[in-house]
């Protein structure tokens, strides 16, 4: 288990509390569950030659687009001081406490990424710039091989300096086999550790594969049998019909 900078963790706890209060964590969790469910249902390794990588990339793009749409067209989000914008190929959610970018955990790690090894920012201009901004306001010395961890070093003013880190990544991962998802909130940096700190955002619990989720993104009572769950409702889109009877 990774041990993180305590000042960074404390700052992240404050950011998470703010994101939970305005509903951003619930929104991302709910949409991640729905995106992963829909894409798992169409996942066809044999007929369409899908693999875990294509499933992960598709889901990452779908989630980014859904969050942009959900937040961008909502008056209630704007009233709460939350907005969303396209940044290169990703989406950034701007909140009073932090600017949040969505990051998909590598497909090979499922819900158990190794944060100090499984992420790098050089392939994304947006993520690299965010990590560099955090490093600029919180320049924690890099760890040397065999040296004490970052958080045990005495950095004057660290508790106050870390509050200047406004760039947070909301990392999410999912399992192909059971459809469960998980999320973490992290402060990226450009040091060799890649993160100042990471804390949990959510972790799905379920008693069986293919579990249906409630509208708030939570799993139903695991003691309820399959027959007690509501039947799935298909999504139906109606087309307008013009005077000559042609659909539009």
């Amino acid at each position: 288990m990774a041990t993180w900078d305590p000042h960074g963790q404390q700052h992240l706890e404050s950011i998470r509390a703010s994101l939970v209060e305005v509903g951003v964590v619930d929104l991302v969790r709910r949409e991640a569950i729905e995106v992963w469910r829909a894409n798992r249902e169409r996942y066809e390794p044999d007929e369409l030659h899908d693999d875990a990588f294509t499933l992960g990339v598709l889901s990452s793009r779908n989630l980014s687009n859904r969050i942009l749409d959900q937040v961008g067209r909502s008056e209630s989000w704007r009233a709460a001081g939350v907005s969303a914008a396209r940044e290169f190929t990703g989406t950034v959610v701007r909140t009073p406490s932090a600017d949040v970018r969505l990051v998909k955990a590598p497909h090979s790690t499922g819900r158990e990424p190794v944060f100090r090894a499984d992420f790098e920012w050089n392939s994304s201009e947006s993520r690299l710039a965010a990590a560099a901004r955090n490093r600029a306001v919180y320049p924690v010395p890099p760890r040397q091989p065999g040296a004490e961890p970052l958080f045990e070093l005495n950095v004057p003013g660290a508790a106050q300096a870390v509050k200047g880190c406004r760039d947070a990544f909301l990392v999410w991962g999912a399992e192909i086999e059971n459809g469960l998802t998980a999320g973490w909130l992290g402060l990226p940096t450009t040091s060799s550790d890649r993160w100042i700190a990471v804390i949990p955002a959510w972790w799905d619990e379920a008693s069986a594969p293919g579990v249906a989720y409630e509208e708030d993104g939570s799993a139903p009572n695991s003691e309820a049998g399959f027959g007690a769950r509501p039947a799935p409702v298909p999504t139906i889109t109606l087309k307008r019909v013009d005077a000559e009877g042609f659909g539009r």
Side-chain angles (χ1 to χ4, degrees):
M1 178 181 295
T3 306
W4 303 107
D5 180 291
H7 304 300
Q9 285 187 294
Q10 186 174 2
H11 181 45
L12 273 177
E13 294 285 355
S14 176
I15 292 175
R16 180 176 62 183
S18 176
L19 296 179
V20 168
E21 182 178 1
V22 298
V24 169
V25 171
D26 284 344
L27 171 69
V28 175
R29 181 189 184 196
R30 183 169 60 248
E31 295 300 320
I33 289 171
E34 175 58 22
V35 160
W36 194 248
R37 179 201 61 77
N39 286 334
R40 280 179 71 241
E41 287 182 356
R42 63 152 297 281
Y43 180 64
E44 290 288 351
D46 297 326
E47 295 181 14
L48 300 179
H49 301 286
D50 288 329
D51 57 28
F53 178 77
T54 60
L55 178 62
V57 171
L58 176 62
S59 298
S60 177
R61 296 291 300 136
N62 287 162
L63 181 60
S64 178
N65 293 338
R66 287 172 73 108
I67 296 299
L68 180 66
D69 180 63
Q70 291 277 347
V71 176
R73 60 185 172 85
S74 170
E75 291 290 344
S76 60
W77 284 115
R78 283 191 286 274
V82 179
S83 63
R86 179 75 69 197
E87 188 175 78
F88 296 97
T89 60
T91 295
V92 54
V93 180
R94 305 193 187 281
T95 78
S97 62
D99 294 335
V100 181
R101 289 163 180 82
L102 306 178
V103 176
K104 175 71 172 63
H107 63 279
S108 60
T109 68
R111 295 196 298 164
E112 298 182 354
V114 178
F115 282 88
R116 286 194 171 113
D118 290 336
F119 297 89
E120 59 86 21
W121 317 131
N122 290 333
S123 61
S124 168
E125 188 173 350
S126 172
R127 295 175 185 177
L128 181 61
R133 285 192 293 271
N134 283 347
R135 181 68 182 274
V137 297
Y138 195 60
V140 180
R143 272 191 309 150
Q144 299 299 322
E148 293 298 318
L150 286 174
F151 58 88
E152 294 185 3
L153 299 174
N154 182 19
V155 181
Q160 185 61 35
V162 75
K163 294 180 182 179
C165 296
R166 275 195 50 87
D167 288 279
F169 290 172
L170 208 169
V171 179
W172 68 285
E175 301 285 353
I176 294 180
E177 293 78 9
N178 56 33
L180 301 179
T181 72
W184 302 266
L185 195 64
L187 290 177
T189 185
T190 53
S191 75
S192 58
D193 281 326
R194 300 179 179 86
W195 301 93
I196 296 168
V198 177
I199 63 173
W202 79 82
W203 181 271
D204 292 344
E205 299 286 354
S207 58
V211 65
Y213 290 93
E214 305 293 352
E215 289 185 0
D216 64 358
S218 62
N221 187 340
S222 60
E223 296 179 358
F226 180 83
R229 298 176 187 166
V233 179
T235 301
I236 301 175
T237 302
L238 301 179
K239 293 183 178 180
R240 292 177 54 193
V241 178
D242 60 24
E244 296 181 356
F246 294 99
R248 293 182 179 178

